[in-house]
Amino acid sequence: MVDRESVPGLPATSWAVLGLLSHGRELSGYDVKKWADRSLGLFYWSPSFSQIYGELKRLETSGYATSRLVAPETGTRDKRVYRITGEGLDAVRTWARTAPLDPPVLKHGPMLRLWLGHLLEPERMREILAAHREYAEDMRRRAEADVADAGADEAWAYPRLTLTWAERYYAAERDLADAMLADIEELETEELETEEPETEELEIEKPETEEPETEKPGIGKSEGEL
């Protein structure tokens, strides 16, 4: 049994690849990449082919995995497949139980752009949020399809739960994008109302009426009238 002190400080990518092997199947590097894209990529990240093959070699050197060459079903080139060892299974189990849990780090590109909204045109902000909404909905559909593909395989019970979480997460991202689009429209309406000039009532000056002059007695009369 591997204790906490004996587990080497492998990078997260190593533990992720070892975790994919922990389901008991023999996997090639291509298989690992495929399963990573369809599971890890929806809630963590999906390593590149070069990372995967580098980690498989590291795990084999550490005694956590073994490999063998098998004849391909098609083609002429043999392929190398990997299987987890008992020591590797103990190590990844111990890591999952005892390793410090890093909190999620949120780096939200669309929100960074929205934060700089005072530098953008409203139409550009709407385009950014609409594109993010489309991305979130595509990812939600992808997670939904992967949940269905996982089926009732008991070995994939917990990975299926993480895929269900991913489906809910991207649905929430889609709905948040819709809410932000509505918020932007409301903000623009408020700004327009604030910018409308106030109409002042013009006072119409009434023309001054001249009072008729009163004639003084004896002025303007002829001598005969006096």
Side-chain angles (χ1 to χ4, degrees), residues 81-102:
V81 293
Y82 296 81
R83 181 182 292 277
I84 196 169
T85 63
E87 187 178 358
L89 189 61
D90 288 342
V92 71
R93 180 183 288 114
T94 301
W95 179 84
R97 285 175 175 170
T98 64
L101 185 62
D102 296 328

Side-chain angles (χ1 to χ4, degrees), residues 4-195:
R4 181 175 179 180
E5 287 73 21
S6 64
V7 175
L10 297 176
T13 309
S14 294
W15 296 117
V17 172
L18 193 58
L20 287 167
L21 294 176
S22 70
H23 295 285
R25 300 178 183 180
E26 254 186 345
L27 301 175
S28 66
Y30 175 82
D31 295 329
V32 171
K33 175 61 175 171
K34 180 179 69 174
W35 287 112
D37 287 346
R38 298 183 65 179
S39 56
L40 293 174
L42 288 168
F43 61 86
Y44 199 67
W45 97 114
S46 183
S48 64
F49 275 111
S50 60
Q51 287 178 307
I52 288 171
Y53 285 111
E55 295 304 336
L56 287 170
K57 289 180 181 179
R58 188 204 304 264
L59 294 172
E60 190 171 18
T61 301
S62 301
Y64 292 166
T66 59
S67 69
R68 65 187 182 96
L69 289 173
V70 297
E73 295 179 0
T74 58
T76 58
R77 185 177 178 180
D78 292 346
K79 68 175 181 178
R80 185 171 295 277
V81 293
Y82 296 81
R83 181 182 292 277
I84 196 169
T85 63
E87 187 178 358
L89 189 61
D90 288 342
V92 71
R93 180 183 288 114
T94 301
W95 179 84
R97 285 175 175 170
T98 64
L101 185 62
D102 296 328
V105 178
L106 180 61
K107 293 182 179 180
H108 207 296
M111 288 303 99
L112 179 59
R113 298 295 186 88
L114 190 61
W115 182 68
L116 295 171
H118 62 290
L119 304 177
L120 301 177
E121 300 81 10
E123 186 58 34
R124 179 55 183 151
M125 287 190 290
R126 282 192 288 269
E127 289 174 357
I128 290 170
L129 286 172
H132 177 61
R133 185 199 186 284
E134 184 178 353
Y135 162 79
E137 177 60 13
D138 286 345
M139 293 295 286
R140 187 202 66 78
R141 289 198 189 104
R142 178 177 152 189
E144 182 182 38
D146 288 346
V147 169
D149 288 343
D153 189 344
E154 292 183 2
W156 278 86
Y158 287 100
R160 186 167 59 251
L161 286 181
T162 61
L163 292 173
T164 300
W165 176 90
E167 181 184 356
R168 294 168 181 165
Y169 169 80
Y170 286 110
E173 280 286 308
R174 176 202 60 199
D175 295 342
L176 283 170
D178 285 335
M180 293 304 296
L181 285 167
D183 289 342
I184 287 177
E185 185 175 353
E186 183 179 352
L187 182 61
E188 290 175 356
T189 302
E190 291 175 357
E191 289 176 349
L192 286 174
E193 291 175 353
T194 303
E195 292 174 359

Side-chain angles (χ1 to χ4, degrees), residues 189-215:
T189 302
E190 291 175 357
E191 289 176 349
L192 286 174
E193 291 175 353
T194 303
E195 292 174 359
E196 286 183 359
E198 295 181 358
T199 56
E200 297 181 356
E201 293 185 0
L202 299 177
E203 295 183 359
I204 301 175
E205 296 183 357
K206 297 180 179 180
E208 296 182 358
T209 55
E210 298 181 357
E211 296 181 0
E213 296 183 358
T214 57
E215 296 182 353

